[in-house]
Amino acid sequence: MIGRLRGSNSVERFAVIGEHFYQPPRKGSHTRVKKIHTDPHGMDWNNIIIHECYIPQTQNGTLDHVSFDFYTTIRREMLALAPKEVKQLRESMKARGVGDPFLHVLLPDLNKRDKEILVKAGYLAFEEETKVSPKWFWAPETALDNETLETLVKIGYKGVLCAPEQIDIIGTSADNKPIILKLPNKANIIALPFDRPFSSSLAFSEKSNADAYTRSTIIPRIQKLPQSQPLIGWTDGETFGHHVKLADLFLDFLVKESLPNVGIAVLGLNDIQDVWEKKDYQTGKLRERTAWSCPHGNLVRWHGACPCDGGHHGSWKENFSTAISSFNQEIDKILDRELGRRWADDLAQNFSQYFYFTGSRNSKKSLMAVKASALAAMTSCGTFFESPETSGNINMLFIHQALENLKDAGFEQLSQEMKQKMLLTLSKGIDPFTKQNLAQLFSKILS
Ligand SMILES: [Zn+2]
């Protein structure tokens, strides 16, 4: 028997439990690349995770109790496998959904125009599928800078989630507090840092008994907060059912039974402003180029050696990320020259049309597909892990797709030259595990 929270006869406390659902697109759409496998062992991870995790959580109705962001590309893949569940998922998104960009790219690594393209494309996909506008935003890896925040305000977001270590406020830590950030362009946005201990425990602690977890972890933490401040926990959605088998049932019981039974209502993030009182808001400053999964600053985990991988094996990441980033910027010059500067609006408005383009000799569509593929090549997955083999093929697949579209657009020679340049930069990075240079490692997927 769990004691109710002291002094609570009905619901008196609030928690928000958030899930970040994301898997990268692992297949290309162009007819000449769509058969390429990015997994070294031929595993179809997206299919596996959809069945282990996304379908059960949707069918159980868990998603009507938590809050969540769910990437557009994985929604599209799930649509082909489980159309009924995607319909249900979209219904849950109306009340409980949080927005995200169309692709999982570290937004501070993009220029302003690219930021706007991805944020707007994700926003429009959310609206198109739910007929509702998202209010809150989950940035890939919660990586933020002020230019990203200004972009979010411009597109229509009211607030952004982040880790407490990303925010400077006077006095105490920022966990669970709504922080008003005044931006360089004089606009404001609310940053909402999740609760660090609760979020870490959601990810890593034992998930067998939801009542015991409530008693040992949630109640002590929530009792330290003012009543008007909900406890915010956020973690990867794949934790529940994929990383930890049966944890989807743990989460379902937690949000539907264990928490309500002790007087804690699981609030949707979209309703949280109804609970905060004026005194809860504080002003603060963003620590630029920080993220939830690397506390070492300047997004170093994705660009070089970092204590986040125990062996500091990440020196290859500098060459890898520089090669892709330079490629993406080169593509901009080609589009500006060939299409004028209006192409960015068109791409943001019709992103999926170009991202899923199957290829043909249509010079404009092919050029737009080049840019959509170059942005997909910027996904953060490739440099998250310590080995370039874990996910690097995904980034390289989209470089390959961009190069194929560039050929279709009539730039065969330029496509060859850009590939050689890419290989040259990659050849200066060494895989710490196989000792191959990255050009050797990725030559197969690039040709
Ligand atoms: Zn780090």
Side-chain angles (χ1 to χ4, degrees):
M1 177 73 191
I2 308 166
R4 295 180 70 82
L5 279 172
R6 209 166 357 153
S8 65
N9 308 317
S10 56
V11 169
E12 297 216 4
R13 292 297 184 130
F14 299 97
V16 172
I17 295 184
E19 294 186 83
H20 163 55
F21 289 106
Y22 169 67
Q23 287 300 306
R26 290 181 155 94
K27 283 177 190 155
S29 51
H30 192 288
T31 46
R32 295 198 295 276
V33 307
K34 71 178 184 189
K35 291 222 167 68
I36 297 175
H37 275 281
T38 51
D39 184 82
H41 309 289
M43 299 286 280
D44 189 345
W45 286 111
N46 290 3
N47 188 320
I48 291 167
I49 293 167
I50 285 168
H51 283 95
E52 284 180 347
C53 182
Y54 304 162
I55 291 176
Q57 290 201 48
T58 309
Q59 285 177 343
N60 287 342
T62 316
L63 300 185
D64 294 322
H65 294 264
V66 297
S67 303
F68 64 94
D69 80 297
F70 201 109
Y71 265 72
T72 308
T73 51
I74 196 77
R75 288 204 300 276
R76 299 284 160 97
E77 287 187 48
M78 186 166 155
L79 188 61
L81 298 168
K84 210 172 94 208
E85 283 74 14
V86 171
K87 201 171 162 220
Q88 202 179 337
L89 170 69
R90 288 170 175 167
E91 281 304 308
S92 304
M93 279 169 71
K94 286 183 187 193
R96 297 279 173 156
V98 169
D100 47 30
F102 200 102
L103 298 168
H104 198 277
V105 178
L106 297 175
L107 296 172
D109 282 353
L110 297 177
N111 66 26
K112 195 174 174 187
R113 184 164 59 172
D114 282 354
K115 286 179 171 96
E116 276 192 38
I117 291 168
L118 290 186
V119 174
K120 178 114 192 177
Y123 189 91
L124 292 175
F126 190 113
E127 280 188 332
E128 188 189 313
E129 292 177 47
T130 64
K131 314 297 173 215
V132 168
S133 307
K135 294 184 205 163
W136 289 89
F137 185 79
W138 178 269
E141 301 291 356
T142 77
L144 294 169
D145 63 357
N146 279 318
E147 195 175 74
T148 299
L149 297 177
E150 289 181 353
T151 303
L152 296 180
V153 175
K154 183 178 174 188
I155 305 296
Y157 285 103
K158 305 280 181 282
V160 60
L161 290 142
C162 62
E165 306 84 32
Q166 294 181 265
I167 300 292
D168 279 324
I169 56 169
I170 293 170
T172 170
S173 67
D175 306 55
N176 306 299
K177 297 184 175 74
I179 311 290
I180 298 169
L181 301 177
K182 292 192 193 333
L183 304 179
N185 70 356
K186 311 288 181 218
N188 285 344
I189 191 164
I190 303 169
L192 180 56
F194 52 72
D195 187 278
R196 174 54 82 179
F198 177 37
S199 300
S200 299
S201 83
L202 268 179
F204 302 117
S205 69
E206 166 93 30
K207 292 172 189 60
S208 52
N209 184 331
D211 283 346
Y213 179 74
T214 299
R215 204 162 44 224
S216 66
T217 303
I218 299 184
I219 290 180
R221 193 74 191 152
I222 219 167
Q223 280 176 329
K224 292 201 175 89
L225 295 176
Q227 196 169 18
S228 56
Q229 276 181 21
L231 179 73
I232 320 284
W234 218 282
T235 195
D236 287 335
E238 294 76 24
T239 306
F240 306 100
H242 174 60
H243 299 316
V244 186
K245 304 298 168 207
L246 301 179
D248 49 314
L249 300 176
F250 164 89
L251 179 66
D252 194 62
F253 194 84
L254 179 73
V255 295
K256 290 180 184 167
E257 301 287 340
S258 300
L259 292 173
N261 285 345
V262 295
I264 300 171
V266 185
L267 192 72
L269 181 64
N270 293 322
D271 301 318
I272 199 168
Q273 283 180 279
D274 300 342
V275 177
W276 285 327
E277 293 172 6
K278 212 170 163 194
K279 66 173 171 57
D280 293 317
Y281 291 87
Q282 294 193 28
T283 53
K285 272 183 90 172
L286 174 74
R287 291 184 189 168
E288 293 206 277
R289 293 183 63 78
T290 52
W292 75 328
S293 45
C294 169
H296 303 105
N298 201 24
L299 303 174
V300 61
R301 177 179 190 146
W302 295 271
H303 301 97
C306 165
C308 283
D309 82 63
H312 294 262
H313 292 122
S315 56
W316 61 272
K317 294 179 182 181
E318 191 182 337
N319 291 84
F320 187 91
S321 58
T322 303
I324 294 169
S325 202
S326 311
F327 181 90
N328 181 46
Q329 288 163 28
E330 283 293 309
I331 298 300
D332 281 3
K333 289 184 202 154
I334 301 168
L335 265 71
D336 285 344
R337 192 181 65 221
E338 298 297 321
L339 303 174
R341 293 183 66 85
R342 297 280 300 277
W343 60 265
D345 285 338
D346 182 8
L347 185 56
Q349 297 281 343
N350 303 291
F351 196 87
S352 60
Q353 183 194 329
Y354 298 121
F355 181 63
Y356 294 111
F357 186 52
T358 53
S360 73
R361 289 195 176 266
N362 174 319
S363 59
K364 191 214 156 191
K365 270 194 182 170
S366 294
L367 279 176
M368 298 290 275
V370 170
K371 179 61 186 175
S373 302
L375 283 167
M378 292 281 295
T379 56
S380 64
C381 317
T383 53
F384 180 79
F385 300 100
E386 58 185 345
S387 162
E389 278 192 301
T390 312
S391 289
N393 277 342
I394 295 170
N395 302 63
M396 290 300 147
L397 170 75
F398 289 103
I399 293 288
H400 184 162
Q401 180 164 286
L403 292 168
E404 291 302 321
N405 280 307
L406 193 57
K407 283 185 206 163
D408 289 349
F411 298 92
E412 183 116 11
Q413 197 189 334
L414 183 58
S415 177
Q416 277 302 333
E417 287 166 10
M418 288 186 78
K419 183 169 146 188
Q420 290 314 317
K421 199 173 160 191
M422 166 73 49
L423 288 169
L424 183 65
T425 313
L426 289 175
S427 70
K428 292 170 189 158
I430 305 293
D431 175 357
F433 299 98
T434 66
K435 309 295 179 203
Q436 287 178 294
N437 75 55
L438 300 182
Q440 293 170 308
L441 192 70
F442 295 119
S443 63
K444 198 166 153 224
I445 199 147
L446 281 171
S447 53

